[in-house]
Amino acid sequence: MDIRQLRYFIEVANTKNLSAAARNLFITQPALSYTIKQLEEELETPLIQKTNETFNLTTTGLLLYERGTEIVEQFDQMLDEIKSHTKKQHETIKVGLTVLFAIQFMQEISTFIATHPNVELRLIQEGSHRLQKLLQSEVIDIGLLSFPLIEKDIEIEPLQTTVNGYSVSVVVPNSNPLAKKSSVSFKELEGQKFSSLTNDYMLGRLLENPTSALGFQPNILFTHSDWEVLVHSLTRLNTICILPSELQKSSRVPDVTWLKLDDKNNFYPIGIALRKNYVCSSAVSDFITCIKQN
């Protein structure tokens, strides 16, 4: 006897009509009759006394109905508890990171996803400055972003992995006289026209912040959050832009030159950012461990 047979028998007992029970169970009447017959043969006792005018349970049929109803209810309750427990185990982690870090840490992110099927990992790509604000306002749970620390209610743990930051390059059209150099200083950028990342990015803040270390007010003609759009704009607008050097490997734009920025502040360390006093779940801790394996 299995739970399916028991359900069928209980439905027959409740309806006292094989045709009605079959309709309620979405099976044919012959299939239902066969199931009841199998059950009686297995238990070696009749369960139903049926005549043209009456439909009654036998003594053993009544016992099976009463005890079986309890068993089915307990079985359904067990299934609900299992499903509820499974739902509780499901977790969503919202991770904020830049495009560059998504590229650099994709192997670790993929490993985490493959080994944590009950965790939904949502990746939100923004600039590091914007990500700090999103983390502080609890829009994201964890940030993989660059220093400096700006928002007061978060903390950033520096990464000590094979990828621990990014260098800064100045990207110029080949027609620009600077293209003949191997490196340039901030001072040499004075008088140039810029295409720039938005203020949501640390390098965008470098240009747009009036108190930046450039020592001059840059002439920004164009801003955008997509670094590829910026690189494509350089030749047409006769501008230059400041970008992470590591993006050069992913760039397919011709007729531009990537120059090393000759400055003591030409490196931005990166880290894992969390809100202060944030209690990491086991899944979040596992994600951080994965990232640190880079």
Side-chain angles (χ1 to χ4, degrees), residues 138-184:
E138 301 185 15
V139 175
I140 59 176
D141 303 307
I142 183 172
L144 183 57
L145 46 81
S146 65
F147 286 87
L149 175 62
I150 297 173
E151 302 301 329
K152 62 180 181 179
D153 295 327
I154 69 172
E155 298 174 322
I156 307 177
E157 177 189 357
L159 274 173
Q160 304 297 329
T161 61
T162 55
V163 177
N164 59 7
Y166 62 89
S167 302
V168 181
S169 284
V170 180
V171 190
V172 305
N174 288 346
S175 59
N176 191 303
L178 293 177
K180 298 178 182 179
K181 294 178 172 290
S182 59
S183 64
V184 290

Side-chain angles (χ1 to χ4, degrees), residues 55-75:
F55 185 105
N56 297 311
L57 297 178
T58 64
T59 301
T60 51
L62 183 59
L63 176 62
L64 180 63
Y65 175 76
E66 291 175 347
R67 297 289 180 86
T69 299
E70 295 177 2
I71 291 172
V72 170
E73 289 177 351
Q74 291 174 356
F75 182 80

Side-chain angles (χ1 to χ4, degrees), residues 3 28 52 72 78 88 91 107 114 157 165 200 209 228 235 252:
I3 198 72
T28 65
N52 291 335
V72 170
M78 178 188 67
K88 288 180 181 178
E91 182 177 350
Q107 180 59 55
E157 177 189 357
D200 290 337
N209 190 340
E228 290 182 290
T235 302
R252 297 294 181 266

Side-chain angles (χ1 to χ4, degrees), residues 42-91:
E42 181 180 346
L43 297 176
E44 299 180 347
T45 181
L47 300 172
I48 299 171
Q49 290 178 339
K50 183 181 177 184
T51 67
N52 291 335
E53 297 181 356
T54 62
F55 185 105
N56 297 311
L57 297 178
T58 64
T59 301
T60 51
L62 183 59
L63 176 62
L64 180 63
Y65 175 76
E66 291 175 347
R67 297 289 180 86
T69 299
E70 295 177 2
I71 291 172
V72 170
E73 289 177 351
Q74 291 174 356
F75 182 80
D76 289 341
Q77 183 179 359
M78 178 188 67
L79 290 180
D80 289 340
E81 290 176 359
I82 291 173
K83 290 177 181 178
S84 176
H85 182 69
T86 302
K87 288 180 180 178
K88 288 180 181 178
Q89 285 184 327
H90 183 83
E91 182 177 350

Side-chain angles (χ1 to χ4, degrees), residues 48-264:
I48 299 171
Q49 290 178 339
K50 183 181 177 184
T51 67
N52 291 335
E53 297 181 356
T54 62
F55 185 105
N56 297 311
L57 297 178
T58 64
T59 301
T60 51
L62 183 59
L63 176 62
L64 180 63
Y65 175 76
E66 291 175 347
R67 297 289 180 86
T69 299
E70 295 177 2
I71 291 172
V72 170
E73 289 177 351
Q74 291 174 356
F75 182 80
D76 289 341
Q77 183 179 359
M78 178 188 67
L79 290 180
D80 289 340
E81 290 176 359
I82 291 173
K83 290 177 181 178
S84 176
H85 182 69
T86 302
K87 288 180 180 178
K88 288 180 181 178
Q89 285 184 327
H90 183 83
E91 182 177 350
T92 298
I93 303 176
K94 291 169 287 186
V95 179
L97 72 175
T98 67
V99 173
L100 173 60
F101 302 153
I103 295 171
Q104 293 175 319
F105 291 91
M106 189 49 64
Q107 180 59 55
E108 289 71 30
I109 292 171
S110 298
T111 298
F112 176 83
I113 292 173
T115 55
H116 293 75
N118 288 332
V119 178
E120 178 186 356
L121 198 66
R122 295 183 185 174
L123 301 180
I124 294 92
Q125 292 186 354
E126 291 282 357
S128 290
H129 182 214
R130 173 67 175 163
L131 290 174
Q132 290 192 31
K133 291 183 177 294
L134 294 180
L135 183 59
Q136 179 179 255
S137 58
E138 301 185 15
V139 175
I140 59 176
D141 303 307
I142 183 172
L144 183 57
L145 46 81
S146 65
F147 286 87
L149 175 62
I150 297 173
E151 302 301 329
K152 62 180 181 179
D153 295 327
I154 69 172
E155 298 174 322
I156 307 177
E157 177 189 357
L159 274 173
Q160 304 297 329
T161 61
T162 55
V163 177
N164 59 7
Y166 62 89
S167 302
V168 181
S169 284
V170 180
V171 190
V172 305
N174 288 346
S175 59
N176 191 303
L178 293 177
K180 298 178 182 179
K181 294 178 172 290
S182 59
S183 64
V184 290
S185 65
F186 276 135
K187 183 62 178 174
E188 292 175 284
L189 303 183
E190 188 171 2
Q192 295 286 334
K193 293 178 292 185
F194 289 84
S195 292
S196 173
L197 289 166
T198 67
N199 199 39
D200 290 337
Y201 294 77
M202 294 305 179
L203 291 183
R205 284 176 56 84
L206 175 65
L207 287 179
E208 294 188 7
N209 190 340
T211 61
S212 70
L214 274 69
F216 61 88
Q217 186 64 41
N219 179 15
I220 301 175
L221 296 187
F222 179 59
T223 60
H224 204 279
S225 59
D226 189 322
W227 68 272
E228 290 182 290
V229 172
L230 292 177
V231 177
H232 277 285
S233 75
L234 300 183
T235 302
R236 289 193 174 187
L237 298 179
N238 192 27
T239 54
I240 67 173
C241 65
I242 296 178
L243 291 173
S245 305
E246 287 73 9
L247 290 174
Q248 182 177 3
K249 294 180 181 179
S250 302
S251 177
R252 297 294 181 266
V253 179
D255 302 322
V256 296
T257 299
W258 292 66
L259 305 173
K260 177 184 175 182
L261 178 63
D262 186 11
D263 189 85
K264 64 179 181 180

